[in-house]
Amino acid sequence: MAEIVVTGAGMSGLVAAMLLAQDGHEVTVLERDPAVPPTPEEAWDAWERRGVNQFRMLHFFLARFRNEMERELPAVVEALDGAGALRFNPLDAVPAAMKGADRPGDRDFEAITGRRPVVEAVVAASAEATPRVTVRRGAAVAALRTGATALPGTPHVNGVRTESGEEFRADLVVDATGRRSPLPRWLADVGARSPEEVLEDSGFVYYGRHFRSRDGSLPPVIAPPLQPYGSISALTLPADNGTWGVGIITSAKDTAMRALRDVSTWNAVLKSLPLAAHWGEGEPFEDAVTVMAKIEDRHRRYLVDGASVATGVVAVADSWACTNPSLGRGASMAVVHSTALRDSLRTDGDDPAGFQTAFAHATETTVEPWYQSTLSFDRHRLAEIDAVIEGRPYDPEGPEWDIVQGLNVAAGQDGDCLRALLSVFGLLRLPEEALGAPGVFDKVVSLGAGWRDEPPLGPSRQELLGIVAA
């Protein structure tokens, strides 16, 4: 079995470490942040993760996360249950007249979710208890080590060196340092070619707050978690132990909406959104609005022109690609990607060059389609927001956005379309797979064709501007 170093002890790094250790590998996780995770009960108030800028922002862990974790790491799910994580199936809130009779497979839509600090504290404790996993906090990686090449002219990584000068030998280095991954710089320092990278601002800004109830109850779910209201969107996300998060999402270019930093303005806007307003009736446990901006869409390919830029090192999850988190896909994609890494090691771990190619191909088939789907949705939504601000209809060239909106409308009228929509939302099936189920696309066309004629919900653009200016 291999000696593996994972850089980064966030969600993706810890999940990857546990999956690899279960296969018999010896895994050392190196984390820059020296803070020791507290108990889940203390995590929200006591844990600071300075290297994770979205640590206290809204989080939701999708159905795919639960499905994968129950199959691969069931003890973690048991620990999440014990810490008060929420089991949530959106079908439960849908009237029987709309969803029809229960069906085999309906449990697949169930999520287990909570606030990020609480969930990560559980995952961290589970990793610490996993045989063959060693977590070293306060160990900041500064550089890669290299050794004898496996491919002529291509650096081969055989470990890392920390900022304190300590060296760790490894048969494989797994970069899980997240959105700010320095891996390209580390690779350049050892003479590797640059990966292919596409980088741009995602174009969104989040204004979020968290609430709780005194009796542990949650607000009634009467709409999807992500609700578009013209030039803004609302996120209403149930969480652990009678808590929930509410976010208002705007375009980064919409300077008028920067007034949402003010709590009273934020409250006034939320109250104007008919399907989300009641989510603000709990007890807020933050004095201010938490803002997350300058969110990057970034994608890196480490297999360039059919050849790896280096052997002995790979990137997973947000270190590989990251985008706007409003669809909540990051944690689920991390588990899927880490599972693909483990499987690639099973089949090609004895061949460094073959493993790099196998993992790159596994990435292309498992998580790449979801990244591209997310990027497409975001670009359409931003363009739609621009159109609303400019007072014109949004008319994209292709039919993709019409189909997406048609599915949203049809899901409120038909059980097959509802389940198709939830399977996409839960990261269970890609849009084309969900729409390809027998009869679904035809129903979307017939039931959702008039989506543009649906009466608007919430304030008009002018009314919204009046609210934020008051």
Side-chain angles (χ1 to χ4, degrees):
M1 293 293 107
E3 293 185 18
I4 298 174
V5 166
V6 176
T7 61
M11 292 285 296
S12 58
L14 294 171
V15 167
M18 287 186 282
L19 288 172
L20 295 170
Q22 283 188 165
D23 260 22
H25 304 296
E26 295 291 334
V27 186
T28 300
V29 184
L30 302 178
E31 166 58 41
R32 172 181 292 273
D33 186 350
V36 177
T39 65
E41 294 78 14
E42 301 168 327
W44 181 264
D45 294 322
W47 197 8
E48 294 293 334
R49 293 277 275 122
R50 295 179 181 178
V52 184
N53 65 341
Q54 72 272 27
F55 194 57
R56 294 187 182 280
M57 280 303 295
L58 314 180
H59 273 79
F60 189 84
F61 294 83
L62 301 176
R64 181 69 177 272
F65 177 82
R66 181 199 59 77
N67 278 271
E68 295 286 337
M69 294 293 282
E70 280 193 338
R71 183 175 66 251
E72 303 289 353
L73 297 168
V76 178
V77 179
E78 291 177 12
L80 287 169
D81 281 325
L86 175 70
R87 294 269 184 167
F88 175 75
N89 192 326
L91 272 179
D92 293 341
V94 179
M98 182 185 300
K99 67 181 178 182
D102 291 343
R103 304 179 188 180
D106 279 354
R107 185 179 177 268
D108 289 346
F109 301 122
E110 181 183 82
I112 187 166
T113 189
R115 292 165 292 170
R116 166 73 181 266
V118 176
V119 174
E120 187 167 323
V122 171
V123 174
S126 298
E128 292 277 5
T130 299
R132 293 180 295 277
V133 173
T134 301
V135 181
R136 292 276 302 273
R137 297 185 182 272
V141 174
L144 302 173
R145 286 181 22 156
T146 56
T149 61
L151 282 172
T154 301
H156 177 72
V157 174
N158 68 359
V160 301
R161 186 179 69 255
T162 67
E163 289 180 355
S164 67
E166 191 174 4
E167 294 195 346
F168 292 82
R169 186 205 166 276
D171 298 302
L172 177 67
V173 173
V174 179
D175 174 35
T177 51
R179 289 176 171 269
R180 300 173 181 174
S181 166
L183 182 57
R185 172 168 55 80
W186 292 345
L187 287 168
D189 289 345
V190 297
R193 292 180 299 154
S194 298
E196 292 180 349
E197 180 174 88
V198 179
L199 176 66
E200 60 181 312
D201 193 299
S202 75
F204 293 98
V205 180
Y206 288 73
Y207 301 88
R209 301 187 75 197
H210 285 88
F211 298 83
R212 67 172 130 240
S213 63
R214 294 184 178 180
D215 61 1
S217 63
L218 292 169
V221 177
I222 59 175
L226 180 60
Q227 308 162 28
Y229 291 94
S231 60
I232 63 174
S233 297
L235 266 179
T236 53
L237 302 178
D240 60 281
N241 297 293
T243 67
W244 62 91
V246 182
I248 299 174
I249 308 171
T250 73
S251 167
K253 295 186 294 185
D254 193 353
T255 57
M257 293 301 112
R258 292 175 188 171
L260 288 165
R261 293 174 179 269
D262 176 74
V263 170
S264 60
T265 302
W266 189 95
N267 287 337
V269 170
L270 181 63
K271 288 178 181 178
S272 75
L273 309 179
L275 301 182
H278 65 290
W279 287 81
E281 295 173 1
E283 175 188 351
F285 51 94
E286 295 162 314
D287 295 331
V289 175
T290 303
V291 182
M292 185 167 68
K294 297 181 180 179
I295 309 160
E296 292 179 340
D297 287 328
R298 194 199 66 234
H299 182 280
R300 291 170 177 164
R301 281 194 172 90
Y302 292 90
L303 194 70
V304 179
D305 297 328
S308 296
V309 301
T311 56
V313 60
V314 294
V316 295
D318 282 352
S319 295
W320 156 72
C322 56
T323 187
N324 162 42
S326 67
L327 299 179
R329 293 173 171 176
S332 298
M333 289 175 64
V335 180
V336 173
H337 205 193
S338 296
T339 304
L341 170 64
R342 181 206 57 195
D343 294 346
S344 297
L345 274 174
R346 285 177 175 175
T347 58
D348 294 274
D350 294 332
D351 175 11
F355 164 74
Q356 298 289 149
T357 301
F359 181 58
H361 290 165
T363 298
E364 293 286 332
T365 57
T366 58
V367 287
E368 176 76 23
W370 284 111
Y371 174 82
Q372 296 299 335
S373 174
T374 305
L375 203 63
S376 174
F377 181 90
D378 286 349
R379 291 295 166 261
H380 278 295
R381 178 61 182 138
L382 276 175
E384 184 181 53
I385 288 173
D386 287 343
V388 173
I389 292 173
E390 295 167 11
R392 58 177 174 81
Y394 175 49
D395 292 313
E397 293 182 0
E400 181 181 33
W401 192 241
D402 285 296
I403 294 171
V404 169
Q405 298 306 312
L407 177 59
N408 287 334
V409 172
Q413 307 172 62
D414 177 79
D416 291 333
C417 294
L418 173 62
R419 288 169 174 81
L421 179 65
L422 292 179
S423 68
V424 176
F425 171 74
L427 212 82
L428 302 171
R429 287 189 291 174
L430 287 161
E432 55 268 30
E433 296 170 339
L435 290 165
V440 169
F441 183 78
D442 290 340
K443 289 181 178 180
V444 169
V445 172
S446 61
L447 298 175
W451 70 269
R452 292 181 184 274
D453 300 323
E454 291 287 309
L457 294 172
S460 67
R461 176 64 182 179
Q462 289 305 310
E463 291 168 336
L464 181 64
L465 291 173
I467 293 170
V468 300

